[in-house]
């Protein structure tokens, strides 16, 4: 089975702190994604990566950065956390299927609270 | 901008009722389509997907969806829901020129009364 593992299930941080969320997948997928999930807004894409050291902005990249130094690992960084970044963060990975977008496999999620 | 729209935010049904959840998208061109489910306290998992071929696709747990290209729709159906279907359902669309990313709808919360 595909496994996507997120490093922390629950985090509580203070405004202005730097936050690292890490994600590891074990299926050699080339694509990895960070979404945030908020009630009534569904899942919104923050950043994605289609290869090592490559990254693309999603729909809501402001206030976030990412790092992909190894194929299996994709990190989300909040340089200076703010209260409006309180959310559930979901990591996912996928392979391209016949040149098109494949199924996403999701981690358990990291619930971040910024006080 | 490309978008995915789910018509219902919250649906309440009694057990054995039929279910249809609407999903429309605004992409032109070739797309792959997905429905995901999130049971309370669990992570998102795939219900079904459409890549090509028969526009009526069957998924897990008795769910099916129909792709109607002319209407840009991918509605989810189940003939008879169970209490265990209580969950949030997300439609997602990926375009062939978007590098593998999926755009998700806002989600529909389904509550099934026993």
């Amino acid at each position: 089975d595909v496994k996507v593992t997120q490093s922390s299930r629950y985090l509580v941080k203070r405004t202005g702190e730097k936050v690292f969320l890490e994600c590891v997948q074990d299926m050699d997928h080339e694509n990895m994604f960070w979404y945030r999930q908020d009630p009534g807004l569904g899942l919104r894409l923050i950043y994605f990566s289609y290869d090592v050291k490559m990254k693309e902005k999603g729909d809501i990249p402001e206030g976030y950065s990412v790092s992909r130094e190894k194929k299996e690992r994709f990190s989300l960084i909040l340089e200076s956390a703010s209260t409006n970044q309180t959310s559930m963060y979901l990591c996912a990975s996928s392979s391209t299927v016949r040149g098109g977008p494949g199924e996403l496999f999701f981690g358990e999620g990291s619930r971040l609270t910024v006080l | 901008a490309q978008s995915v729209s789910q018509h219902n935010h919250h649906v309440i049904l009694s057990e054995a009722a039929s279910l249809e959840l609407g999903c429309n998208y605004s992409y032109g061109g070739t797309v792959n389509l997905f429905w995901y489910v999130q049971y309370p306290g669990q992570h998102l998992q795939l219900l079904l997907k459409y890549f090509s071929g028969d526009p009526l696709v069957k998924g897990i747990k008795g769910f099916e969806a129909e792709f109607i290209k002319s209407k840009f729709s991918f509605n989810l159906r189940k003939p008879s829901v169970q209490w265990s279907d209580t969950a949030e359902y997300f439609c997602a669309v990926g375009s062939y020129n978007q590098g593998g990313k999926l755009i998700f709808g806002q989600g529909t919360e389904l509550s099934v009364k026993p």
Side-chain angles (χ1 to χ4, degrees):
Chain A
D1 278 353
V2 174
K3 195 163 179 67
V4 179
T5 304
Q6 296 185 227
S7 56
S8 306
R9 291 293 305 275
Y10 301 95
L11 302 96
V12 179
K13 298 291 182 181
R14 298 207 173 273
T15 300
E17 282 192 270
K18 192 169 186 176
V19 182
F20 291 91
L21 300 178
E22 300 213 309
C23 174
V24 177
Q25 52 97 0
D26 66 359
M27 283 300 293
D28 202 36
H29 286 163
E30 64 269 29
N31 304 317
M32 295 191 73
F33 308 83
W34 277 104
Y35 289 86
R36 62 177 282 178
Q37 181 180 9
D38 300 287
L41 297 177
L43 278 71
R44 293 178 292 165
L45 183 63
I46 304 171
Y47 268 97
F48 67 104
S49 168
Y50 53 87
D51 200 353
V52 176
K53 297 193 185 294
M54 305 301 290
K55 60 185 179 184
E56 293 277 347
K57 292 180 180 179
D59 298 317
I60 52 164
E62 296 79 18
Y64 303 95
S65 62
V66 291
S67 172
R68 193 166 180 201
E69 296 296 320
K70 294 184 178 181
K71 189 174 186 179
E72 68 271 19
R73 189 179 297 270
F74 193 36
S75 302
L76 180 70
I77 303 144
L78 289 66
E79 292 288 341
S80 177
S82 63
T83 54
N84 63 10
Q85 293 177 309
T86 291
S87 187
M88 172 69 85
Y89 290 88
L90 300 177
C91 177
S93 70
S94 76
S95 281
T96 303
V97 177
R98 295 194 296 270
E103 169 191 354
L104 264 57
F105 294 86
F106 283 90
E108 299 276 350
S110 298
R111 184 167 294 282
L112 172 66
T113 301
V114 183
L115 302 176
Chain B
Q2 297 160 336
S3 65
V4 178
S5 178
Q6 292 182 237
H7 309 150
N8 311 99
H9 293 297
H10 193 186
V11 173
I12 302 172
L13 296 173
S14 298
E15 275 194 317
S18 64
L19 169 72
E20 181 159 3
L21 301 183
C23 174
N24 285 89
Y25 62 94
S26 65
Y27 292 78
T30 305
V31 294
N32 289 344
L33 301 152
F34 306 82
W35 275 97
Y36 282 84
V37 61
Q38 188 173 37
Y39 298 103
Q42 296 189 24
H43 66 283
L44 280 148
Q45 52 188 285
L46 184 72
L47 265 183
L48 47 78
K49 61 190 176 188
Y50 173 81
F51 287 173
S52 64
D54 188 342
L56 184 63
V57 292
K58 296 192 184 299
I60 61 171
K61 305 188 180 187
F63 286 90
E64 64 179 31
E66 185 176 13
F67 172 45
I68 303 179
K69 189 174 182 180
S70 61
K71 295 185 177 180
F72 298 90
S73 72
F74 190 54
N75 292 353
L76 181 71
R77 299 195 291 249
K78 186 171 185 178
S80 175
V81 295
Q82 301 172 313
W83 176 79
S84 58
D85 293 324
T86 294
E88 191 158 18
Y89 294 81
F90 294 92
C91 179
V93 179
S95 172
Y96 270 60
N97 61 357
Q98 294 286 311
K101 73 177 185 181
L102 300 189
I103 302 299
F104 284 78
Q106 307 93 318
T108 298
E109 187 178 344
L110 173 65
S111 300
V112 180
K113 299 183 293 185

